[in-house]
Amino acid sequence: MNSAYIYLQIYRLFDKSTPLPLDCGRYCSEACCKGDSESGMYLFPGEKAVFDMVCPDGWRITDSELTYSYNGKERKTPILICDGSCDRYFRPLACRIFPLTPILDNEGHIKIIIDPRARSVCPLANTFDKDEFDKDFTESVKKAFILLSKNKHVYEFLKTYTEYIEEYNRFFKDLRG
Ligand code: SF4
Ligand code: SF4
């Protein structure tokens, strides 16, 4: 099946589901969209197909430094760099689930956590516990990744991604002392 179709279906989970039942961007001037011109969002395996079909003007996709292996091949994770504004229906999955993110727990099951990379940007990531986010939103994030992780390519990617996120968690833990 076309991976773009799968992602487009998953995106729909987040059409109405947001971290809080209000527009949190109004209170932080959309801080998560204000990175520099080289910062961007990782695309999950197969998600690039969505932006191969339609990519807003001024956006670009490039290979990131995050590599993982799948099917005996070393692969680079694509990163989408936007221009800091968008029609919300064009947002990639990483933006839709922010500031949460998936990792694999010790048993290899999907676990949803607050993204440690969000701590330097997002007031919600710094002040809320995961349980304080809108329940529908948290459940949609979990549902999306339980579904996606049935795909072996996504699952293999998540193994590397988990190590990458855990590295950030250790870094912030060390900072907090
Ligand atoms: S930085 Fe956090 S609070 Fe601000 S718009 Fe993004 S998700 Fe909402
Ligand atoms: S794609 Fe849209 S939501 Fe995501 S960072 Fe860019 S402007 Fe923000």
Side-chain angles (χ1 to χ4, degrees):
M1 188 180 277
N2 181 334
S3 62
Y5 175 78
I6 293 169
Y7 277 97
L8 289 171
Q9 295 301 311
I10 285 176
Y11 288 175
R12 294 183 63 189
L13 289 171
F14 302 97
D15 282 353
K16 295 206 171 78
S17 187
T18 51
L20 296 178
L22 48 79
D23 179 3
C24 52
R26 287 175 59 190
Y27 303 97
C28 70
S29 306
E30 298 177 340
C32 49
C33 300
K34 302 285 184 274
D36 61 45
S37 61
E38 290 311 309
S39 59
M41 294 70 61
Y42 289 131
L43 296 177
F44 293 94
E47 191 179 9
K48 183 172 174 288
V50 174
F51 297 93
D52 286 342
M53 289 192 311
V54 53
C55 193
D57 287 346
W59 291 21
R60 64 195 164 89
I61 294 173
T62 184
D63 284 336
S64 74
E65 299 296 316
L66 183 65
T67 59
Y68 63 100
S69 66
Y70 171 63
N71 247 355
K73 273 195 196 160
E74 200 66 5
R75 296 163 195 263
K76 291 186 171 179
T77 308
I79 193 163
L80 174 66
I81 298 171
C82 71
D83 61 2
S85 64
C86 72
D87 177 327
R88 67 194 310 274
Y89 292 99
F90 282 113
R91 293 172 303 156
L93 189 54
C95 296
R96 291 167 196 257
I97 65 173
F98 190 88
L100 302 183
T101 203
I103 57 169
L104 298 174
D105 68 13
N106 292 338
E107 277 79 49
H109 299 138
I110 294 290
K111 179 178 173 187
I112 303 303
I113 61 167
I114 294 179
D115 191 331
R117 296 168 300 173
R119 293 196 189 279
S120 58
V121 180
C122 173
L124 301 181
N126 270 319
T127 51
F128 278 46
D129 289 330
K130 195 191 81 185
D131 297 344
E132 292 173 305
F133 286 86
D134 186 72
K135 199 162 169 270
D136 280 350
F137 174 68
T138 310
E139 281 174 3
S140 293
V141 179
K142 187 149 192 185
K143 193 193 273 182
F145 282 93
I146 286 175
L147 273 168
L148 282 170
S149 65
K150 305 277 180 220
N151 177 281
K152 276 189 176 168
H153 191 164
V154 174
Y155 192 81
E156 288 305 310
F157 167 77
L158 284 174
K159 288 183 185 170
T160 299
Y161 183 74
T162 298
E163 287 170 17
Y164 164 79
I165 292 291
E166 294 288 23
E167 194 63 32
Y168 270 92
N169 267 332
R170 280 192 288 276
F171 174 74
F172 280 104
K173 202 168 159 219
D174 286 350
L175 275 187
R176 288 194 296 266

